[in-house]
Amino acid sequence: MIKVYISHASGFEKELYDVFRGVKEFDFILPHESKIKNSKTVIKSCDAMIADVSKPSHGVGIEIGWAESFGVPIILIVKKGSKLSSSLKFVSKPITYNKFTDILPRLKTKIEDVVK
């Protein structure tokens, strides 16, 4: 099963996790539910990462850097109207959304594409 780490700023857990919890095709790592003590080790063991970059977060930036250094494919998602850091253009083109549920089908396809 494809293992995907979900990186996000604090405050997005409920909305994000409700969507990902219902998906059975992938093993989504939901860090605030899993009580992960060392996300660096967990990210290294994943097949991909989804990073919500709608809200600036040092923690998300660090996790993106770790994933990049480990060669873990990164999928960026961003809520429409959010201001993005210009450095994110070097990571990947973000998928925009109004609601998380809107992008789930596109995310499933993107995950399968990046782990091939």
Side-chain angles (χ1 to χ4, degrees):
M1 183 173 289
I2 296 171
K3 189 173 169 182
V4 183
Y5 185 87
I6 307 299
S7 182
H8 58 84
S10 295
F12 282 90
E13 297 90 272
K14 172 127 178 63
E15 192 176 354
L16 263 174
Y17 290 8
D18 285 350
V19 171
F20 290 120
R21 216 181 279 112
V23 179
K24 303 300 179 205
E25 300 99 308
F26 306 104
D27 179 14
F28 287 115
I29 308 301
L30 310 173
H32 290 230
E33 277 189 354
S34 305
K35 306 292 187 221
I36 293 170
K37 294 193 184 343
N38 186 345
S39 59
K40 185 177 185 179
T41 303
V42 174
I43 291 166
K44 190 174 190 175
S45 73
C46 287
D47 301 300
M49 169 196 269
I50 294 173
D52 189 305
V53 292
S54 301
K55 181 179 172 185
S57 167
H58 293 293
V60 172
I62 290 167
E63 290 180 337
I64 288 171
W66 288 336
E68 183 104 327
S69 72
F70 298 140
V72 174
I74 303 161
I75 301 166
L76 300 177
I77 60 174
V78 62
K79 191 166 192 164
K80 281 187 182 170
S82 299
K83 185 175 180 190
L84 289 177
S85 166
S86 61
S87 61
L88 290 171
K89 67 184 171 196
F90 298 106
V91 177
S92 74
K93 183 178 178 189
I95 299 172
T96 58
Y97 67 88
N98 284 317
K99 294 184 209 171
F100 291 119
T101 52
D102 296 342
I103 62 169
L104 195 53
R106 290 183 358 212
L107 278 177
K108 288 178 181 180
T109 301
K110 185 73 173 175
I111 292 166
E112 290 168 351
D113 287 346
V114 299
V115 297
K116 285 183 181 174

